[in-house]
Amino acid sequence: MNTSLFISKRIRFKGGLAMVCIAISYLVMIIAVSVSSGFRREIRSGISTLSGDVRLTPPNLNVLDHSRPIEKNPSYLSRVEEVEGVEAVVPAVYMAGIIKQETDIYGVLFKAVSDGVGGVSIPRTLAEKAGVGVGESLTAYFVGERVNARKFDVVSVYDSMIEADDKLVVYADMADLQRLGGWSSDQGSAMEIILDDDHKDELSIMEATQKIGFIVNGYSEESEAPVIATSSVSA
């Protein structure tokens, strides 16, 4: 199916098709935020909550391309968990989406880190702009090689820690996003690694990233999808 043709015919909204391209392009910024070097410690704390202090992702992570998932339980996982300062390793799924409410659209990043959510949790700004509250539903379009439309129930509205989070991230059920991507329950977009409070300074994060990257390079099996380690303070 021609994605642009589908959107232009089936999703009518102010500003035309160009706005969809802008919205989707802006989505990728939420991923880039996690490797930006210009943030202070308090901003890093918000980024850590959003995407971890260290992340393991495919070399070319693309939230529009669902063809390169990684394993949720790779062979080197236990070694990563033993790195000094590592508090938790959390599998995550990221997926770009478009939410349409009447004549307006909103580019968002759907994110899942667990099952059993039973719907979606949306940022307060999005709830106010789209006029959607708890107990109501919204329709999302997922644009990749093909377009999938899904209706979700809003189960909660949250207040964000950082500006980008407030505008872009919708938290969903992992199983729902895995089905949309055509993935198994053992696959995801990334592994988010959370460090304890004593290891959240820039030097400790960089050291942990280097150690984890070494482990991945040295202990991953040939059959496993390649990943790279990036940090919340990388340039």
Side-chain angles (χ1 to χ4, degrees):
M1 175 181 290
N2 185 300
T3 299
S4 298
L5 183 61
F6 175 91
I7 294 174
S8 62
K9 286 185 176 181
R10 300 294 298 277
I11 306 178
R12 301 180 182 278
F13 56 91
K14 297 183 292 184
L17 183 59
M19 288 300 295
V20 174
C21 299
I22 293 171
I24 292 176
S25 297
Y26 192 47
L27 291 175
V28 184
M29 291 178 63
I30 203 65
I31 302 298
V33 162
S34 67
V35 294
S36 177
S37 61
F39 294 89
R40 298 171 186 250
R41 182 182 179 89
E42 61 270 22
I43 299 300
R44 276 207 308 274
S45 176
I47 296 170
S48 173
T49 300
L50 177 63
S51 62
D53 298 297
V54 183
R55 288 187 310 138
L56 295 177
T57 68
N60 296 304
L61 176 63
N62 184 345
V63 293
L64 294 174
D65 182 2
H66 311 149
S67 64
R68 295 187 177 92
I70 67 172
E71 292 79 9
K72 289 171 57 178
N73 295 288
S75 59
Y76 49 81
L77 179 59
S78 61
R79 294 178 184 273
V80 171
E81 292 173 330
E82 292 172 356
V83 171
E84 182 180 1
V86 170
E87 187 172 88
V89 181
V90 183
V93 174
Y94 311 134
M95 198 164 290
I98 297 170
I99 290 175
K100 178 179 180 291
Q101 290 296 110
E102 298 181 350
T103 59
D104 295 325
I105 67 161
Y106 306 91
V108 301
L109 180 72
F110 280 79
K111 176 181 176 179
V113 294
S114 64
D115 295 321
V117 176
V120 293
S121 178
I122 65 175
R124 189 167 302 281
T125 294
L126 178 60
E128 293 173 351
K129 288 183 177 180
V132 179
V134 174
E136 298 180 302
S137 63
L138 54 82
T139 298
Y141 296 87
F142 296 87
V143 184
E145 292 184 359
R146 53 179 297 197
V147 175
N148 288 300
R150 291 289 187 277
K151 181 172 286 189
F152 295 96
D153 294 326
V154 177
V155 296
S156 66
V157 175
Y158 72 89
D159 294 308
S160 68
M161 294 183 64
I162 59 177
E163 182 73 7
D165 191 9
D166 189 55
K167 290 182 177 179
L168 293 176
V169 179
V170 171
Y171 293 98
D173 190 283
M174 180 171 286
D176 286 342
L177 298 191
Q178 286 169 329
R179 281 193 294 269
L180 282 165
W183 298 349
S184 74
S185 60
D186 295 324
Q187 295 176 315
S189 302
M191 302 290 286
E192 298 180 351
I193 300 165
I194 311 300
L195 303 180
D196 62 34
D197 290 341
D198 294 333
H199 293 82
K200 284 189 179 293
D201 61 278
E202 184 170 335
L203 179 59
S204 294
I205 292 174
M206 292 302 297
E207 288 180 347
T209 303
Q210 292 174 356
K211 291 177 182 177
I212 292 167
F214 175 80
I215 289 171
V216 170
N217 289 331
Y219 295 97
S220 60
E221 298 179 354
E222 291 185 6
S223 60
E224 293 174 331
V227 297
I228 58 172
T230 58
S231 80
S232 60
V233 295
S234 299

